[in-house]
Amino acid sequence: MKIKTVEQYVDLYRKSVQDPEGFWGEIASEFQWKKKWDRILEYDWKKPEFKWFGGGELNITENCLDRHLDEKGDQAAIIWEPNNPGEEERILSYRELYREVSRFANALKRQGVQKGDRVCIYLPMIPELAISVLACARIGAIHSVVFAGFSSKSLATRIDDATCKVVLTADGGYRGKKTIGLKAIVDQALEISETGSVEKVIVYNRTNQDVVMLEGRDIWWKDAIAGVEDQCQAETMEAEDPLFILYTSGSTGKPKGIIHTTGGYMIYTTYSFLNVFQYDPGDIYWCTADIGWITGHSYIVYGPLLAGATTIMFEGVPTYPDAGRFWQIVEKYKVNQFYTAPTAIRALMKFPIELVEAYDLSSLKVIGTVGEPINEEAWVWYKKNIGNGVVPIVDTWWQTETGGILITTIPEVLHDHPTFAGKPLPGIQPMLFDESAKEIDGFPASGRLAIKFPWPSMARGIWGNLERYKETYFSFGDRYFTGDGALRNERDYYRITGRVDDVIIVSGHNLGTAPIEDVINTHPLVVESAIVGYPHEVKGNALYAFVILRGDVDNPEALYKEINGKIAQDIGPISKCDKIQFVPGLPKTRSGKIMRRILRKIASGETSDFGDISTLLNPEIVEEIIRTRL
Ligand code: PRX
């Protein structure tokens, strides 16, 4: 499954295009199936519908756990590093993880969870989060992990959308110096939940906080597993049975519950993990993401465990107790593959270099980034200081919807190059297209990025909204549209230039502008608002809100805080705006559409080149907004 030379890459790539079914069939044969598939691929772009390994039956956790017990039973599966370096780490061998997962799977069953039920997981980065995910998969329940930084409202929306039956949470969590209450947020969420679908809440005690336990609904984790067996027969799943739902922001409306299914996701996460990180048996792999995002699903839990790897889970933040924490952990466990976000690198490079130099990073063989474009300066710093000038960087491009890494370099096979993510993995057929949806051939080329052939881990739908799935991703012909713009150079390398829709990537988090504007607009003093992104040194992009008020405001600073407080409460702190400018109007077309292109330029500090604004309904407003720009 592992590509070692460029010749192999070229050969495999060709094979994957000429005979995709043969290519994927061979890879799929390396897994444990309860029943082999009948058809490798059936698809219809128009419907749209994609079926991989139809007729095949399996359980993904047998492939993550049972399959490794003979050879790797005593090998560390998960190494958990706590927030506080003074607290002891927890190491779970494959055998221990197998038992914990089985035990909790039985506990879920005892609470009435059945195959197909949705389970919401709102947990901090503790081993129980990975155990919960796998326990759901063991019994065929569909997990919906919600990042534990989301507010009660956001949590309620997600619980309601998927009509979850059970919520798994903790009393609280530690992040740096802070102790966060999670159970209280769940309580609020369930109070405002409109469906009332949640029957049980299982609560892990992580921080010893006082929490309210509702009789009949809330159960402590330790009671839930008391007297439960640590062997659990894995449910038989069809390859296309949903494995999980994970919410991601769209440019409009409520978050999209992206659906991933079992067989194809399993194969693609393993295949991409092994190739992109060139993982060798015995290596220690660390991805710093949170399991609340797709990166954590695919490359902390599923990919590494499917590949029989040792995967590190880190509870804390990069700057606690100081900004050398990442490097201290790399030294402590002799990490071989390190995978993080550009925003973390940009934040850490601002600190004295002694915080890096204090640690031995010589174990590193591959260092990676994900989530947003990595700017050249950060790339060069990463390579020089973390990679000792020689360790290959993988700048991996992918999305919640793609399930796994699609465009990247491969260490020692395809060379890294700053600002270019790289080439498609074999099996992935990217294309660029222009405004009339026509494919752009050759190079240099610049256009919208799409994938023109199905791949096993592609999203199969949006929970409860097939129409939106179709509209968002399949409106430009027989291809999957990514929402990103990209360039292609003479080496056939792709450079991702950013979103072409109203999604803004802030610190690697995908934020849709419309839901944040909706929150701002509910403030009694606000008439209308428009949010755009502008370049930010650490975050990559930050949010700039232009807000029209009813009348004058006495204390703009207080209003700024109030609006951001409301955003934090209703959505979560990551969606707060760095700048809020109060304006008398917004530039609009004659049909009433806000000209975001102009606002983006203003927010980025440009003073000219606004194009033809004479056709605007209110061209004079542009000057006025520039004059009072923040
Ligand atoms: O714009 C691209 C950006 O992140 C988006 C996907 O966000 P999300 O679904 O949250 O998944 C993030 C983790 C996979 C993409 O549409 N993006 C992701 N990776 C890169 C990137 N932009 C540039 N370079 C990357 N390596």
Side-chain angles (χ1 to χ4, degrees), residues 305-569:
L305 295 178
L306 285 161
T310 296
T311 174
I312 297 181
M313 257 182 96
F314 175 44
E315 184 186 34
V317 298
T319 49
Y320 179 79
D322 64 40
R325 186 68 192 277
F326 272 4
W327 322 126
Q328 180 251 330
I329 298 174
V330 169
E331 178 182 277
K332 178 174 175 187
Y333 298 108
K334 300 195 172 48
V335 171
N336 302 110
Q337 291 89 2
F338 175 75
Y339 191 30
T340 195
T343 186
I345 297 166
R346 288 192 298 264
L348 295 178
M349 61 194 257
K350 294 195 167 305
F351 289 90
I353 197 67
E354 289 74 34
L355 286 168
V356 178
E357 287 167 351
Y359 301 102
D360 177 4
L361 307 181
S362 62
S363 55
L364 290 171
K365 298 196 283 190
V366 178
I367 53 180
T369 66
V370 58
E372 58 185 309
I374 172 160
N375 52 307
E376 186 151 4
E377 199 192 345
W379 194 98
V380 168
W381 184 92
Y382 196 34
K383 180 91 171 180
K384 174 165 177 258
N385 298 293
I386 307 306
N388 193 26
V390 291
V391 177
I393 293 184
V394 288
D395 169 358
T396 62
W397 175 84
W398 59 296
Q399 310 176 298
T400 305
E401 295 87 337
T402 68
I405 297 165
L406 301 194
I407 297 180
T408 178
T409 48
I410 301 177
E412 316 296 349
V413 176
L414 299 172
H415 292 295
D416 54 9
H417 187 67
T419 75
F420 280 82
K423 287 162 85 82
L425 282 175
I428 302 304
Q429 299 185 34
M431 69 177 290
L432 296 175
F433 67 94
D434 65 17
E435 267 160 30
S436 55
K438 213 170 123 271
E439 178 161 8
I440 307 167
D441 290 322
F443 56 81
S446 156
R448 290 164 182 231
L449 178 65
I451 313 292
K452 62 181 175 183
F453 195 82
W455 67 100
S457 64
M458 63 195 295
R460 301 296 199 274
I462 293 178
W463 188 259
N465 202 339
L466 189 64
E467 209 34 55
R468 191 172 178 201
Y469 172 65
K470 186 173 176 174
E471 251 170 48
T472 314
Y473 307 111
F474 304 98
S475 288
F476 297 94
D478 292 353
R479 64 189 74 145
Y480 163 83
F481 173 47
T482 65
D484 282 338
L487 310 175
R488 185 173 52 218
N489 73 5
E490 69 290 348
R491 294 156 78 187
D492 225 14
Y493 271 44
Y494 286 82
R495 172 185 188 158
I496 313 303
T497 48
R499 302 288 310 180
V500 296
D501 55 12
D502 290 328
V503 169
I504 304 172
I505 315 261
V506 179
S507 299
H509 301 309
N510 229 341
L511 305 179
T513 51
I516 313 175
E517 289 164 4
D518 288 346
V519 172
I520 298 180
N521 296 348
T522 57
H523 191 286
L525 288 180
V526 172
V527 178
E528 195 180 5
S529 62
I531 293 177
V532 296
Y534 71 98
H536 184 283
E537 230 188 319
V538 173
K539 300 181 183 182
N541 296 294
L543 301 183
Y544 193 126
F546 296 89
V547 176
I548 308 176
L549 296 177
R550 272 173 233 288
D552 290 334
V553 58
D554 303 333
N555 189 345
E557 188 55 28
L559 187 57
Y560 166 85
K561 285 201 179 128
E562 215 176 286
I563 290 177
N564 265 332
K566 200 162 165 38
I567 295 172
Q569 199 184 16

Side-chain angles (χ1 to χ4, degrees), residues 71-78 92-95 279 281-283 308-310:
E71 267 184 36
K72 297 185 171 168
D74 296 323
Q75 183 201 302
I78 295 179
L92 289 157
S93 67
Y94 270 94
R95 186 164 297 108
Y279 184 89
D283 281 352
T310 296

